[in-house]
């Protein structure tokens, strides 16, 4: 029998910590939850709460991949953004008929799910770039006493 050699493939699915991806994607559901429950408007009408929430979630995402020292922080966070996009589309499809009595949200428009995924993949990519910068700065600091 021949020896098995480890795969050297570096495709978009390799070395991605899927439990972390799914957890970070689920964490971002705080954004629509604050809107659906009316908490965001009760705290501050306008864009303040959604913007602050997005910044806090991004900081948590970046911190998580830096602290966990994931091998591919950029792709991990792109996948987290995509996971959030899928969760948001699915939760909208489930909750809108229950809360508003009819299907509303991305599934009511043909290209909306694609744009939701694209925007959230971009969010993940930007967070991933921040994680790469943070990791490089921390590594530089560790090597220079």
């Amino acid at each position: 029998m021949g020896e098995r050699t480890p795969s050297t493939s570096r495709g978009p699915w390799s070395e991605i910590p899927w439990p972390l991806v799914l957890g970070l994607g689920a964490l971002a559901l705080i954004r629509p939850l604050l809107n659906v429950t009316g908490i965001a408007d009760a705290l501050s009408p306008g864009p303040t709460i959604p913007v602050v929430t997005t910044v806090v979630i991004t900081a948590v995402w970046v911190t998580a991949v830096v602290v966990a020292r994931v091998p591919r922080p950029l792709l991990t966070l792109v996948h987290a953004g995509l996971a959030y996009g899928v969760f948001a589309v699915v939760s909208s499809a489930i909750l809108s008929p229950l809360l508003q009595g009819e299907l509303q949200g991305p599934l009511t428009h043909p290209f909306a799910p694609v744009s939701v995924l694209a925007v959230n993949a971009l969010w993940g990519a930007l967070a991933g770039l921040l994680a790469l910068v943070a990791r490089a700065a921390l590594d530089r600091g560790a090597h220079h006493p």
Side-chain angles (χ1 to χ4, degrees):
M1 299 284 167
E3 259 184 66
R4 292 184 74 189
T5 57
S7 172
T8 57
S9 172
R10 295 278 296 177
W13 304 101
S14 67
E15 298 184 80
I16 303 296
W18 293 107
L20 181 63
V21 165
L22 297 174
L24 295 176
L27 172 72
L29 287 171
I30 290 171
R31 289 178 59 215
L33 183 63
L34 290 173
N35 289 331
V36 168
T37 59
I39 294 172
D41 284 335
L43 292 174
S44 174
T48 303
I49 296 301
V51 169
V52 169
T53 305
T54 301
V55 169
V56 169
I57 291 167
T58 304
V60 170
W61 283 11
V62 169
T63 301
V65 299
V66 169
V67 167
R69 301 203 54 81
V70 299
R72 301 179 80 180
L74 178 68
L75 281 177
T76 297
L77 292 179
V78 167
H79 285 95
L82 289 169
Y84 165 66
V86 170
F87 294 158
V89 169
V90 170
S91 64
S92 171
I94 293 169
L95 293 177
S96 66
L98 297 173
L99 299 175
Q100 278 97 29
E102 65 181 359
L103 179 64
Q104 295 181 354
L107 290 182
T108 61
H109 305 286
F111 297 106
V114 173
S115 62
V116 167
L117 293 175
V119 165
N120 289 296
L122 178 61
W123 178 23
L126 293 173
L129 289 173
L130 288 173
L132 289 173
V133 168
R135 180 180 285 172
L138 289 171
D139 289 347
R140 233 184 346 268
H143 296 326
H144 297 291

